[in-house]
Amino acid sequence: MSGRGEALLRARGVVRRYRGPGGARTVLDGVDLDVHRGEAVALVGSSGAGKSTLLRVLLALEAPDAGTVCAAAAGDDDGDLLRPVRPHRRTSALRWYRRAVQLVPQDGAASLDPRTTALQAVAQPLVRLGLCGPGTTRRTTGGPASSTAAAERAAECLEAVGVEAALHAHRPCQLSGGQAQRVAVARALAPRPRVLLADEPVSGLDAPLREHVVEALARARESTALLLVSHDLTAVAALCGRTAVLHAGRLVEDRPTHDVLTDPRHAATRSLVDAVPRLPA
């Protein structure tokens, strides 16, 4: 771990089982994973490897059957002390975590409220999380002043990911897939999280749109750590300095991305690398 910054998100010994007609099925089996300050980490694996389940555990949407998830809270006054994270019935109990860790979903368009504009989609979570405008983390009452500050922050984030001002008043049905995905990236960046969790953010996009979204995530890396869950090894190579490979619920590799892609050690990793389409010579 030498040479890395402080751990901002940490999973230790995470186990997740699901019960079905045939008995309990172990989907995650003792997963250890850290995301450090300034890092971009890829989590890759074949379908059924456990990536989505691990993501839900990291998002505090599901509790692990064993093991722990901890995170550093957002805000300069919180330092890097890791706090335990578990799902909670009270939304307010996890407000600190929603500020610190944000999700970029697989389908940005589907995640946006069809009744809201792009600007509103990015601004509304800021008010709900009790955040004001740039440079502050004080609580607000959700009144006009906080709404104005949230709108200013939302416009700043949309511009930062390449959504021009002319599109801020557009609703999801008026946006292309790539534009909607960039709005989702802006929404995730708006609370100034310490870690972004990106779930297959370029899945289903054609090459030009994929490039736009990858560029938006690359810009995001300047201000936040990134955990990219993806099967797109091209995006992984472009964005992530480190890659962890999940297979049958276990991490089988966790090394620099270049090493994983050029010298895969595990059979599951070799299968992923060999499956990447290559142009004929």
Side-chain angles (χ1 to χ4, degrees), residues 15-135:
V15 174
R16 188 72 176 102
R17 302 184 185 94
Y18 293 115
R19 298 193 178 278
R25 180 171 62 95
T26 300
V27 179
L28 298 175
D29 189 7
V31 173
D32 293 342
L33 183 66
D34 285 0
V35 180
H36 296 82
R37 181 192 298 276
E39 268 197 318
V41 183
L43 179 67
V44 303
S46 60
S47 297
K51 302 188 302 298
S52 295
T53 300
L54 180 57
L55 188 65
R56 290 183 62 80
V57 170
L58 293 177
L59 287 167
L61 299 176
E62 295 184 14
D65 294 291
T68 59
V69 175
C70 298
D76 294 336
D77 55 341
D78 294 300
D80 291 316
L81 179 66
L82 294 178
R83 300 168 58 180
V85 181
R86 289 184 72 86
H88 203 287
R89 291 182 180 179
R90 289 191 299 109
T91 302
S92 59
L94 280 176
R95 181 176 285 172
W96 71 271
Y97 189 59
R98 302 305 178 210
R99 292 173 176 174
V101 177
Q102 281 283 314
L103 172 69
V104 178
Q106 179 173 348
D107 187 342
S111 74
L112 300 175
D113 186 334
R115 300 166 296 180
T116 63
T117 66
L119 187 71
Q120 291 169 337
V122 178
Q124 285 178 352
L126 293 173
V127 176
R128 293 182 186 136
L129 288 172
L131 298 170
C132 283

Side-chain angles (χ1 to χ4, degrees), residues 42-245:
L43 179 67
V44 303
S46 60
S47 297
K51 302 188 302 298
S52 295
T53 300
L54 180 57
L55 188 65
R56 290 183 62 80
V57 170
L58 293 177
L59 287 167
L61 299 176
E62 295 184 14
D65 294 291
T68 59
V69 175
C70 298
D76 294 336
D77 55 341
D78 294 300
D80 291 316
L81 179 66
L82 294 178
R83 300 168 58 180
V85 181
R86 289 184 72 86
H88 203 287
R89 291 182 180 179
R90 289 191 299 109
T91 302
S92 59
L94 280 176
R95 181 176 285 172
W96 71 271
Y97 189 59
R98 302 305 178 210
R99 292 173 176 174
V101 177
Q102 281 283 314
L103 172 69
V104 178
Q106 179 173 348
D107 187 342
S111 74
L112 300 175
D113 186 334
R115 300 166 296 180
T116 63
T117 66
L119 187 71
Q120 291 169 337
V122 178
Q124 285 178 352
L126 293 173
V127 176
R128 293 182 186 136
L129 288 172
L131 298 170
C132 283
T136 75
T137 55
R138 67 181 184 275
R139 294 183 183 275
T140 73
T141 61
S146 64
S147 296
T148 299
E152 291 172 354
R153 173 64 180 160
E156 174 189 320
C157 291
L158 286 166
E159 294 281 357
V161 299
V163 179
E164 57 268 22
L167 298 175
H168 292 187
H170 282 37
R171 287 179 167 77
C173 64
Q174 299 171 297
L175 300 172
S176 70
Q179 289 166 345
Q181 195 69 339
R182 278 180 279 174
V183 171
V185 174
R187 181 181 56 188
L189 285 175
R192 292 186 171 86
R194 308 198 86 173
V195 182
L196 274 187
L197 303 183
D199 180 20
E200 300 281 7
V202 296
S203 176
L205 299 179
D206 60 27
L209 293 181
R210 186 186 300 118
E211 285 186 19
H212 288 310
V213 174
V214 168
E215 181 183 351
L217 288 171
R219 292 180 187 176
R221 284 189 51 199
E222 298 172 5
S223 59
T224 183
L226 172 68
L227 177 62
L228 173 68
V229 179
S230 182
H231 67 272
D232 188 325
L233 296 187
T234 303
V236 166
L239 288 167
C240 300
R242 183 177 134 230
T243 294
V245 183

Side-chain angles (χ1 to χ4, degrees), residues 207 210 234 273-281:
R210 186 186 300 118
T234 303
V273 172
D274 290 344
V276 176
R278 290 175 173 81
L279 294 174

